[in-house]
Amino acid sequence: MSYVVRPKANMPRTPAWTVHRPAQIATTPKQLNIVTRRYEISWRGKDGSAEAKTCVAPAMPVFEKAFSAFAQGTLIQTENGQVAVEDLQPGDMIATADGGLQPLMWAGAMTVYPNHLELGVPTCRLFRITDGSFGQDRNGPDLMLGPAARILPGTLAVNSSSPLLGPGELADGQSVIAINPMSQVRTFHLALASHRLIRAGGVLVESYHPGSEPHMTLNPELLGHFLALFPHVGSLGDFGPLNHKRND
């Protein structure tokens, strides 16, 4: 048996033209494809002054629930009579059914749009309460609530063990009618020093409280964005206990 030995077989070969790449390539983390929207917030500062700003945050249900309880024009009972929700200022004294007058600590607002997909934000329904069955003045204007409102239904006592219900659960096409807005509408929510029942157009509606939902659904980064919308608190625990049961 014979072998063919090529000249220079054992000499180092001239390297070809190549692009040398490091063993590990740094990559940019993938960005989450999350739709965002503008939220307006106002709050009572530590010195008692009213502060306000506009924020951009995820258009996720847990965020939007903090901004979609009362439609613009809803009359809120205060120490000075009924005031439209959009005219309230941090520090105003709000009449509650279970705690007397309570200072308004925070107010949030967002804009609900009709079904225009090109805007990139979710559409939500509103609910019209029409006939006084939940305590409002039959001669007064209809009450328009957002999907995040929680109501003490009927003529139940304030200390009733019955849970608060959302308008979607009460919609029957007669006394509570679900509607799709034809044009953009601003919606609001209000937070007091503790979880209370606010008198809105004669109906008892809870003040904002996040409950335990953010703990269960948000990762630490999103939870940070969520808490940034509430400058009047340092943590979720600062909202205090949930004083009234919910059905969800």
Side-chain angles (χ1 to χ4, degrees):
M1 181 179 294
S2 60
Y3 298 90
V4 177
V5 179
R6 295 188 176 91
K8 302 182 180 179
N10 296 321
M11 296 183 63
R13 296 183 180 180
T14 303
W17 289 97
T18 60
V19 176
H20 293 282
R21 298 186 179 183
Q24 295 182 349
I25 300 175
T27 59
T28 302
K30 292 183 179 179
Q31 305 225 345
L32 296 177
N33 186 20
I34 297 178
V35 176
T36 60
R37 71 154 76 238
R38 292 181 182 275
Y39 298 102
E40 302 167 45
I41 61 173
S42 58
W43 69 97
R44 190 179 188 185
K46 293 182 178 179
D47 60 355
S49 63
E51 303 183 50
K53 68 177 179 179
T54 299
C55 308
V56 176
M60 298 170 62
V62 67
F63 285 78
E64 294 186 339
K65 286 180 180 179
F67 297 85
S68 55
F70 308 103
Q72 183 167 340
T74 299
L75 297 177
I76 305 297
Q77 188 68 39
T78 74
E79 66 174 341
N80 296 316
Q82 297 191 54
V83 177
V85 64
E86 64 270 22
D87 293 330
L88 292 172
Q89 296 294 321
D92 287 350
M93 300 302 291
I94 307 299
T96 71
D98 55 341
L101 293 173
Q102 297 282 328
L104 178 63
M105 302 301 296
W106 176 94
M110 71 179 194
T111 301
V112 173
Y113 295 92
N115 190 20
H116 293 312
L117 297 179
E118 68 273 12
L119 293 174
V121 295
T123 299
C124 73
R125 294 187 298 174
L126 300 179
F127 297 87
R128 185 188 299 275
I129 298 178
T130 61
D131 68 355
S133 60
F134 296 99
Q136 77 270 38
D137 183 359
R138 292 178 182 272
N139 297 319
D142 290 346
L143 176 62
M144 192 77 72
L145 297 176
R150 292 293 179 272
I151 305 167
L152 187 67
T155 57
L156 297 174
V158 171
N159 62 355
S160 170
S161 59
S162 178
L164 303 175
L165 301 177
E169 299 172 90
L170 299 167
D172 57 8
Q174 296 180 354
S175 59
V176 180
I177 302 172
I179 63 172
N180 294 315
M182 299 299 294
S183 60
Q184 65 185 44
V185 179
R186 291 178 77 209
T187 58
F188 300 78
H189 217 328
L190 308 172
L192 309 180
S194 59
H195 185 228
R196 298 295 178 184
L197 293 175
I198 294 172
R199 299 186 183 276
V203 177
L204 298 183
V205 184
E206 71 168 347
S207 63
Y208 178 70
H209 192 291
S212 60
E213 184 170 314
H215 291 293
M216 297 185 294
T217 61
L218 298 180
N219 61 39
E221 182 179 359
L222 286 175
L223 183 58
H225 287 296
F226 180 81
L227 284 173
L229 296 173
F230 305 96
H232 70 294
V233 300
S235 68
L236 290 173
D238 292 338
F239 284 96
L242 195 65
N243 291 327
H244 298 276
K245 295 192 304 181
R246 294 169 172 166
N247 206 32
D248 56 358

